Amino acid sequence: MDINDIRLNFNKDSLILLNLFIAFIMFGIALDLKKADFINLLKNPKPAFAGIFSQFILLPLLTLAILYTINPHPGLALGMILVAVCPGGNMSNFFSSLAGGNLALSIGLTAFSSTVSVFLTPLGFFFWGSLYPPSQTYLRSISLNPKEMFSSILLILIIPLILGIVFGYFLPKATTKLKKPIRYISLALLVVFIIGALSANWKYFLSYIHILFGLVFLMNAAGLLGGYFFAKILSLPVADRRTIAIETGIQNSGLGLALVFGFFDGLGSMAMICAWWGIWHLISGWSLSTYWSYQTKKEKLIT
């Protein structure tokens, strides 16, 4: 069976549940946000530019380079492009903190990418997808309305983000108590959901894991390394380099998964890329952050 002929076991109720999970995650992220986080980006334009450019331009460019080199199935390519244009993942702030990165920069970049994703995710998907001929041909065969995708992202990301900011502003004491539990609960819910989606389609997943693993590994490594060395070229401090690497390599693939089931009829190739990315970037992000944390502690002991 061709990978694009696969339609994963996923019903309308499951899609609603996934959207609610992502909205809950965004609400939790917003509890940490303050006006100062956005102002911080304006006051420190160089690292802010590096992070925004790395996430919205460099990662899609590196993804295209991988696609042109490997020439995967068009459906897999579209899944990779979709992940590349999603905003930063909800664990990026935790990983930045663990890695000894610039937490203020991380929070600001997550806030910015989540806010502008309502426009840049649909536009970026069609733009970057059109630059890879096999996926461009496939895109023409898909009846997809950018306005509908815009509306969906607005409901899933932006409204919960606004509600979280308002909640944090008017109920600061409750926010302080709730934000950590919500962060861990939302992560656990999303991981359980992704694992459940994979287990319900286990035979398909096992048939293509060797392809999925290779593509996601390369793309994720390209994002992490590309973000780090781009920041290094700009002579940014080590803490900023680590943060920009993480913000580039940790993507909100849960949003990608919701869009696949909402607009692409659960297309197996795209869905499996998003689902496996959701698992793998947690493994790679945790591993890299733990290594950097160890390095930081070692340096402190030496000095």
Side-chain angles (χ1 to χ4, degrees):
M1 178 186 286
D2 184 274
I3 192 170
N4 254 20
D5 293 330
I6 296 172
R7 290 297 184 273
L8 302 188
N9 296 319
F10 204 82
N11 56 40
K12 188 177 180 180
D13 291 338
S14 297
L15 177 59
I16 292 171
L17 194 60
L18 176 59
N19 288 339
L20 287 173
F21 284 169
I22 296 169
F24 184 67
I25 288 168
M26 295 313 300
F27 177 81
I29 289 174
L31 294 179
D32 269 331
L33 299 183
K34 301 175 183 66
K35 186 169 70 173
D37 297 321
F38 294 93
I39 294 172
N40 180 59
L41 293 183
L42 295 174
K43 286 183 176 179
N44 300 279
K46 191 174 180 180
F49 163 78
I52 293 166
F53 181 89
S54 184
Q55 186 166 7
F56 288 104
I57 306 296
L58 183 60
L59 180 60
L61 278 174
L62 292 171
T63 302
L64 279 180
I66 292 169
L67 295 180
Y68 273 102
T69 303
I70 298 177
N71 294 312
H73 190 288
L76 293 171
L78 279 179
M80 293 168 70
I81 292 168
L82 181 59
V83 168
V85 298
C86 282
N90 66 307
M91 285 298 288
S92 62
N93 305 150
F94 171 76
F95 288 148
S96 286
S97 178
L98 177 64
N102 183 337
L103 184 58
L105 175 63
S106 176
I107 292 171
L109 289 174
T110 300
F112 179 84
S113 68
S114 297
T115 303
V116 300
S117 64
V118 68
F119 303 107
L120 294 188
T121 294
L123 293 175
F125 178 72
F126 285 99
F127 174 74
W128 296 105
S130 68
L131 297 181
Y132 182 63
S135 61
Q136 181 184 37
T137 303
Y138 196 73
L139 267 175
R140 292 194 190 114
S141 68
I142 298 173
S143 178
L144 184 63
N145 188 333
K147 290 182 180 178
E148 290 180 4
M149 190 183 283
F150 165 88
S151 301
S152 180
I153 296 172
L154 182 70
L155 288 171
I156 297 171
L157 294 191
I158 306 305
I159 292 177
L161 201 68
I162 293 170
L163 290 175
I165 291 171
V166 171
F167 186 93
Y169 181 79
F170 287 104
L171 299 167
K173 290 183 179 178
T175 299
T176 303
K177 293 179 180 178
L178 289 174
K179 60 184 180 181
K180 276 193 177 181
I182 286 177
R183 182 186 301 160
Y184 291 117
I185 290 169
S186 62
L187 172 65
L189 288 173
L190 187 60
V191 169
V192 168
F193 189 92
I194 290 174
I195 291 173
L198 289 175
S199 63
N201 301 275
W202 197 244
K203 62 178 181 179
Y204 300 133
F205 179 66
L206 286 180
S207 298
Y208 295 100
I209 181 59
H210 59 292
I211 300 172
L212 297 172
F213 183 87
L215 291 173
V216 169
F217 176 85
L218 284 173
M219 183 180 163
N220 181 242
L224 292 168
L225 292 171
Y228 186 90
F229 285 106
F230 178 65
K232 186 175 182 179
I233 289 170
L234 294 179
S235 301
L236 293 177
V238 170
D240 289 357
R241 296 177 204 171
R242 293 176 179 180
T243 290
I244 290 167
I246 289 167
E247 288 297 322
T248 309
I250 306 298
Q251 296 290 91
N252 190 343
S253 57
L255 172 63
L257 201 57
L259 294 176
V260 170
F261 287 112
F263 295 96
F264 298 95
D265 193 28
L267 192 65
S269 51
M270 293 183 71
M272 285 194 285
I273 284 285
C274 293
W276 180 242
W277 180 283
I279 299 297
W280 177 251
H281 79 163
L282 295 178
I283 297 170
S284 65
W286 181 276
S287 302
L288 184 60
S289 299
T290 302
Y291 170 72
W292 276 335
S293 176
Y294 169 77
Q295 267 197 330
T296 301
K297 290 175 182 175
K298 190 177 178 181
E299 288 166 3
K300 285 181 179 178
L301 286 173
I302 293 171
T303 55

